[in-house]
Amino acid sequence: MARGQRRWALIGLVARRMLLRERPAGRGGVVVLAVAAAVTLAGAAATLVGVRAIGPPLAAGVAALLLVGLVLARRLMPAVAVAVFGAGLGCAALVTVLGVTSGFERELIGRLSKVGGQVTLSEYGLDFDEYPQVVARWGADPRVIAASPFAFSTAAVVPVRAGEDRSEGAGPEAQVEKDRSGETYTRAIRRNAPIIAVVKGVDPALAGRLPGTATMARRGDLSALRPGDVRHGPAIALGHRLADKLGVTVGETVRLVVPSELDGTAASMARPPRHAEFEVVDLLDTGVGDYDAALAMVHLSAAQALFFGEARVTGVEFALREPAAATAFARELVLAMGQGFRANTWEQQGEGVLAGLRQIRAAVSLVLGLLEVVAATALIASLLLLVRRKRGEIAALMALGADRVAVFAIFEAVGVFAGGLGAAIGLGLGLFFGLLVAVFRYPLDPTVYPVDHLPFTLGWIDLVGPAGAALGICALASGPVALVASRLPVLQGLGR
């Protein structure tokens, strides 16, 4: 056992010596090294203290790459330094990209569940009026954080300007008294132009228990949503981008116009739309551009009066302590409620978006993984050059009693050390780049991207995967070269 340990210790020592420069580097690059270190620290510090310019994090990232490259060039054999730097760069790129895509996935999941809960229960047909019993029964389940009924409808939102005639429809239950379906009239196209939005009615007390729902409101809670009474009209919270498009602010008034329900009868076709005026009391910021441009929230009672004219809801949404258990909980919920009910999970609601994101993640990872393959080819070239330059030393080791297995192990260890060093450098750079991304929160166009900033979140697989790939590829690439070195004739290596 002791002899074997000494053998492997000797192999490791020789392999490490083959990685290092034969002659110490000069002092010519010390100034550049110091400048790169200073720029890295200064850029990182400026980003951490909240400087909102792209220059500091960009300079810190470039300077960090230069710093690592200079250190490797001063410590390692030049050819090996190139291979190690390439492996580290590929690993860092993979860690950064995986962290960003994981961040997108986490943000989307969190915001999808924030707007709609992890499980949504609805009933086929238009008679979901037993929702109080559902909330009371399942809200007490220890797996459930909160249960909140809601009413959904598509509505046209029209800003009400000062001085406009409001004689028709001042309350949530108001309807147009006169049927104007046969009338024609003209008005300016840009005057109070309506915008189609999705209006959600919630109970502020129950919806406020859903994680993240209350924080969508800029005032921090939903208590401002009121159903309307003799002193005040009903209140509404608009998505901030929707409010911008309407040109309204908090304190102004908008009119909601919802189509009448159609039940297939001739009478339903002639029903006029319902409308009511709401005071804007808050703005919503979900972080998802599409939601912020098309979402409005009102009190559940006001929504029921305007949408349905009776006390029923569209569904009940549940927030779970374990979001991963949403599918099992939904299945149990449907079985307990019986026929006529269906339950959707957050995974089903965002299935298309998440599937596309995961496909992009796999494709980008494959492309960036080619950087590590390129680094492996550089490692092969550097090891071949090393074998050629170290023929005398290899032959001397064999003459002193080292067998072919030991020589093979030495050069294989060189590849493993190079891959391990590259993986360590890549993890360090990837975490550094990720820190800059997470702190800077690079803004994104919400009309193009589903979130408003560049997110960053790392899981263990996002670290282990790139590091394991760098180590494994370098270990595999060094195998053929190690085999060539182990078969080098002794006499030829000694120059005989």
Side-chain angles (χ1 to χ4, degrees):
M1 179 66 71
R3 181 178 179 182
Q5 291 178 348
R6 288 196 298 269
R7 174 187 174 92
W8 287 109
L10 179 62
I11 289 173
L13 177 62
V14 174
R16 289 194 297 271
R17 291 298 303 170
M18 287 188 174
L19 281 173
L20 301 177
R21 292 178 64 102
E22 296 179 350
R23 299 175 182 175
R27 301 183 60 84
V30 175
V31 176
V32 179
L33 197 66
V35 171
V39 172
T40 301
L41 294 175
T47 304
L48 291 174
V49 298
V51 176
R52 297 303 303 163
I54 191 63
L58 185 61
V62 173
L65 290 175
L66 180 61
L67 178 63
V68 170
L70 288 174
V71 171
L72 292 177
R74 292 178 62 84
R75 299 292 298 173
L76 303 181
M77 301 242 343
V80 176
V82 171
V84 171
F85 183 76
L89 183 60
C91 182
L94 272 176
V95 169
T96 305
V97 170
L98 290 177
V100 170
T101 54
S102 295
F104 268 110
E105 184 173 344
R106 180 178 178 180
E107 288 288 327
L108 284 174
I109 291 173
R111 291 173 183 186
L112 285 172
S113 60
K114 179 168 65 175
V115 174
Q118 278 94 32
V119 176
T120 301
L121 177 70
S122 57
E123 185 176 3
Y124 292 101
L126 300 174
D127 56 351
F128 196 170
D129 52 8
E130 61 269 50
Y131 66 92
Q133 293 83 2
V134 174
V135 172
R137 174 183 175 183
W138 293 96
D141 192 296
R143 296 169 295 177
V144 176
I145 298 176
S148 174
F150 66 93
F152 257 138
S153 180
T154 301
V157 186
V158 187
V160 178
R161 305 304 179 188
E164 182 178 340
D165 182 13
R166 305 182 183 182
S167 59
E168 295 180 355
E173 68 284 338
Q175 301 183 24
V176 176
E177 298 295 336
K178 180 180 178 182
D179 181 8
R180 298 180 176 177
S181 59
E183 297 182 7
T184 59
Y185 63 97
T186 58
R187 66 187 177 104
I189 295 177
R190 299 298 299 171
R191 180 177 177 269
N192 294 358
I195 294 178
I196 304 301
V198 175
V199 183
K200 182 178 182 181
V202 297
D203 184 329
L206 296 176
R209 301 174 188 171
L210 298 173
T213 299
T215 59
M216 292 192 305
R218 288 190 170 175
R219 62 178 293 166
D221 58 63
L222 302 175
S223 60
L225 295 180
R226 59 178 183 267
D229 52 35
V230 294
R231 298 179 57 190
H232 304 94
I236 188 172
L238 299 175
H240 68 93
R241 292 185 60 218
L242 175 60
D244 290 341
K245 290 193 291 185
L246 290 168
V248 298
T249 59
V250 173
E252 296 186 316
T253 303
V254 296
R255 178 180 293 118
L256 298 186
V257 182
V258 299
S260 60
E261 295 179 356
L262 302 179
D263 55 14
T265 64
S268 67
M269 298 291 291
R271 290 173 189 161
R274 300 170 181 265
H275 65 83
E277 292 182 3
F278 289 76
E279 180 187 355
V280 180
V281 295
D282 204 351
L283 300 179
L284 303 175
D285 189 354
T286 67
V288 181
D290 291 342
Y291 288 161
D292 293 335
L295 179 64
M297 297 183 73
V298 299
H299 194 281
L300 180 62
S301 299
Q304 289 172 327
L306 179 62
F307 301 164
F308 314 129
E310 57 183 353
R312 57 182 172 86
V313 297
T314 306
V316 178
E317 54 192 7
F318 299 89
L320 305 180
R321 301 188 189 279
E322 297 293 337
T327 301
F329 180 81
R331 189 181 305 113
E332 180 182 343
L333 192 62
V334 171
L335 289 175
M337 295 301 301
Q339 293 184 347
F341 288 87
R342 64 182 182 273
N344 295 323
T345 67
W346 62 268
E347 295 169 316
Q348 294 171 324
Q349 295 171 3
E351 183 177 5
V353 176
L354 293 176
L357 183 61
R358 287 162 183 165
Q359 289 177 357
I360 295 173
R361 173 190 177 100
V364 173
S365 299
L366 179 62
V367 172
L368 291 179
L370 295 177
L371 286 175
E372 297 187 353
V373 176
V374 172
T377 60
L379 179 62
I380 292 175
S382 64
L383 289 179
L384 287 173
L385 179 61
L386 191 63
V387 170
R388 182 177 179 84
R389 296 181 59 182
K390 300 290 186 179
R391 285 183 303 174
E393 288 84 346
I394 296 171
L397 285 173
M398 289 183 173
L400 291 174
D403 55 12
R404 296 184 183 276
V405 175
V407 175
F408 177 89
I410 288 173
F411 281 88
E412 181 65 25
V414 171
V416 171
F417 285 153
L421 183 57
I425 291 172
L427 290 178
L429 286 175
L431 291 173
F432 179 68
F433 296 158
L435 175 64
L436 296 178
V437 171
V439 172
F440 185 69
R441 294 173 64 89
Y442 184 80
L444 300 176
D445 186 355
T447 62
V448 178
Y449 298 96
V451 297
D452 57 2
H453 69 280
L454 195 63
F456 188 86
T457 302
L458 279 177
W460 66 269
I461 191 64
D462 301 326
L463 296 173
V464 174
L471 183 59
I473 290 174
C474 289
L476 290 174
S478 60
V481 181
L483 188 61
V484 170
S486 67
R487 293 183 177 180
L488 188 67
V490 178
L491 293 179
Q492 180 181 350
L494 293 174
R496 306 257 178 205

